[in-house]
Amino acid sequence: MADSQQRCILVTGGAGFIGSHVVRHFVRKYPHYRIINVDQLTYAGNLENLADVQDAPNYCFVRGDVGDLETMRSLLREQKVDGIIHLAAESHVDRSICDPLLFARTNVMGTLNLLQAARECWSGQWEGRRFHHVSTDEVYGALEPGEAAFSETTPYSPHSPYSASKASSDHFVRAYHDTYGLPVVLTNCSNNYGPYQFPEKLIPLCIHNICEEKPLPIYGNGENVRDWLHVQDHAQAIDEVFHRGRDGESYNIGGGNEWRNIDIVRKLIRLVDEELGRPVGYSDRLITFVADRAGHDLRYAINAEKLRRELGWVPQRSFETGLRETVKWYMEHADWVRNVTSGAYERYYAEMYGDR
Ligand code: NAD
Ligand code: TYD
């Protein structure tokens, strides 16, 4: 797919963490595209994340719910959308354990609505059209230490309501391709980190708590392993797959960068304490082992060889640099953190960690 032609791309969930980086990337890199960001602005959606592109002539925001089929239909028709990059989702595993139905509604039904709207609106005229579904490595389940990393052919085996809802949405995307011929691509990415991530996720939560000298809750024994990728490397990979990925294919995206949770937390302690001029090891005392997450997947690891081989994508940022920059970003954006951690988030936090 040429990236020189004019296009109208609908990004769903563009006010969230990864979505805001994808919107910024496309708005800046492709001034001849119109980028429409549709987002319901749940607790995780924040237009402040896009303050630097909100006045760009090729960008607009529409508040809307992917659960509302009629709104999705009209958006696609009226705006003559020819590309969809679908990120809108409930994204936090712990919340999915508390409210699985919400995850089915947004992640499964929301995706199905968008697929149906695209199918109706594009009605067999597939040329130049594309539905890019953004998914997660968590659909593959959990690995034992030493087991080979997930590839695109690893069977799906989700364990949490979150990963089950994402797996289900992936199946619907493939079903629309195989049954109706809808032009789709899928990406399954590992854990992202970087600016604008809501501080309910491990890395921003710990940066915030180290700064505030609050306990750092480590689930279980801290031995669980995740593969971490900088969010801007993810946005670049989405760009490559959206434009040049093969129709109907899935691509794994990952950092080749596995860390145990406890080691990440120790790394964050070192970086934050250094920034604040505190003595070495000052915040070690904040490490607090708490009850494990139910159904906690032991290890995720991604084999991103297909993406490298076919599209030449490799991550650009080293973890050391990316994490240091991320720590600095959170410390320099205390207002952003304060805004998103007030009100509803505070209540959620008390519920989640109060008795733990
Ligand atoms: P996020 O929770 O930060 O953002 C989700 C966004 O979707 C928010 O802006 C929210 O307002 C919006 N949204 C939620 N429900 C909606 C609805 N019904 N209609 C419209 N908008 C709605 O999530 P994120 O971490 O940026 O993840 C984005 C996507 O990437 C998700 O699909 C997630 O499954 C996937 N993903 C995330 C990671 C990760 O590490 N964060 C890794 C791999 C894949
Ligand atoms: P998280 O950032 O929630 O991402 P995911 O569950 O999608 O991988 O969690 C990353 C890892 O950190 C995961 O193994 C759970 C663990 N974790 C904690 O130990 N403490 C916490 O407070 C949080 C939020 C996560």
Side-chain angles (χ1 to χ4, degrees), residues 326-356:
T326 302
V327 163
K328 280 201 174 137
W329 186 90
Y330 279 95
M331 295 178 76
E332 284 162 7
H333 291 78
D335 285 354
W336 182 89
V337 176
R338 209 169 301 118
N339 288 347
V340 301
T341 52
S342 62
Y345 176 72
E346 285 290 306
R347 282 193 296 281
Y348 159 78
Y349 195 92
E351 269 171 38
M352 193 60 72
Y353 294 103
D355 305 326
R356 209 152 181 162

Side-chain angles (χ1 to χ4, degrees), residues 94-115:
D94 294 323
R95 286 181 190 258
S96 82
I97 294 168
C98 298
D99 189 359
L101 299 191
L102 173 64
F103 280 65
R105 181 189 176 276
T106 301
N107 300 0
V108 184
M109 283 311 298
T111 303
L112 190 49
N113 284 335
L114 269 175
L115 288 164

Side-chain angles (χ1 to χ4, degrees), residues 44-188:
N46 183 354
L47 289 176
E48 257 186 84
N49 299 1
L50 288 165
D52 53 342
V53 293
Q54 69 186 10
D55 297 325
N58 63 336
Y59 168 74
C60 81
F61 171 71
V62 177
R63 187 166 192 177
D65 176 1
V66 293
D68 175 358
L69 177 58
E70 206 39 62
T71 303
M72 294 305 118
R73 273 195 190 115
S74 349
L75 251 182
L76 261 59
R77 284 224 172 85
E78 285 161 19
Q79 300 291 335
K80 299 193 172 32
V81 168
D82 53 26
I84 297 171
I85 304 179
H86 176 40
L87 297 109
E90 289 294 335
S91 68
H92 189 39
V93 174
D94 294 323
R95 286 181 190 258
S96 82
I97 294 168
C98 298
D99 189 359
L101 299 191
L102 173 64
F103 280 65
R105 181 189 176 276
T106 301
N107 300 0
V108 184
M109 283 311 298
T111 303
L112 190 49
N113 284 335
L114 269 175
L115 288 164
Q116 182 61 17
R119 177 186 161 220
E120 288 172 11
C121 180
W122 296 341
S123 63
Q125 308 297 303
W126 305 140
E127 188 58 34
R129 267 115 186 213
R130 175 150 273 188
F131 187 111
H132 182 145
H133 180 59
V134 176
S135 191
T136 166
D137 60 355
E138 303 193 23
V139 297
Y140 298 120
L143 294 167
E144 291 299 321
E147 216 182 325
F150 302 129
S151 77
E152 290 80 359
T153 55
T154 303
Y156 276 27
S157 178
H159 297 129
S160 71
Y162 164 66
S163 54
S165 69
K166 293 297 289 187
S168 171
S169 67
D170 292 12
H171 291 319
F172 271 112
V173 173
R174 289 200 190 90
Y176 267 64
H177 175 264
D178 296 350
T179 308
Y180 308 112
L182 194 79
V184 306
V185 280
L186 296 90
T187 46
N188 295 83

Side-chain angles (χ1 to χ4, degrees), residues 3 8 75 90 113 116 136 138 167 180-181 210 230 248 271 273 284 299 302 305 311 329:
D3 59 14
C8 177
L75 251 182
E90 289 294 335
N113 284 335
Q116 182 61 17
T136 166
E138 303 193 23
Y180 308 112
I210 299 166
H230 193 276
L271 290 170
D273 281 351
D284 287 349
R299 173 176 166 243
I302 273 278
E305 176 55 22
L311 304 178
W329 186 90

